[in-house]
Amino acid sequence: VQLQASGGGLVQPGGSLRLSCAASGRNFSRNVMGWYRQAPGKLRELVALITHGGSTDYGGTVKGRFTISRDNAKSTMYLQMSSLEPEDTAVYYCNADLGILGKYVSPGRYWGQGTLVTVSS
């Protein structure tokens, strides 16, 4: 089972990037998938998740700026990031098979390798 994240890079404040996460070795179409990020010196945090039915939820700091989506036919998940801020600088990880219990979310056991997003002028 492999999750391959891509699309990171250097972008100026206010710019946009789209991350992709391609899954192989297992069909995750019925699982919750999501993006986490970890900035230097900080804990890993949930950025966004999407259920198999397409329902989405976002961390408070990215609401209205990021959009998560998935294409089950391509076994690929996306994160469209707009109005990027220096505080968005982090390594972004895709994650599969997240658990949701009420308002609590637990990460799944499948992780991508991470892709670095740097927002700087």
Side-chain angles (χ1 to χ4, degrees):
V1 177
Q2 186 175 22
L3 297 177
Q4 183 71 39
S6 61
L10 174 63
V11 63
Q12 292 187 342
S16 299
L17 277 178
R18 189 176 82 154
L19 306 183
S20 299
C21 175
S24 60
R26 173 175 166 161
N27 184 350
F28 289 107
S29 63
R30 299 193 62 80
N31 297 98
V32 180
M33 298 189 70
W35 290 93
Y36 284 79
R37 69 184 181 186
Q38 187 166 19
K42 295 188 176 181
L43 297 175
R44 191 172 296 190
E45 63 175 352
L46 177 65
V47 176
L49 64 84
I50 184 166
T51 69
H52 70 278
S55 297
T56 60
D57 198 7
Y58 297 90
T61 60
V62 307
K63 279 183 179 178
R65 300 188 297 121
F66 291 10
T67 301
I68 189 172
S69 61
R70 66 193 295 172
D71 185 338
N72 289 331
K74 296 182 179 179
S75 297
T76 303
M77 175 179 63
Y78 306 96
L79 185 69
Q80 178 67 47
M81 305 184 293
S82 303
S83 302
L84 283 161
E85 304 168 354
E87 293 72 26
D88 296 317
T89 295
V91 178
Y92 285 71
Y93 298 90
C94 55
N95 184 237
D97 198 23
L98 284 72
I100 300 176
L101 183 62
K103 63 178 181 179
Y104 298 102
V105 178
S106 57
R109 56 179 170 154
Y110 303 101
W111 291 94
Q113 83 287 4
T115 185
L116 176 63
V117 172
T118 303
V119 184
S120 176
S121 55

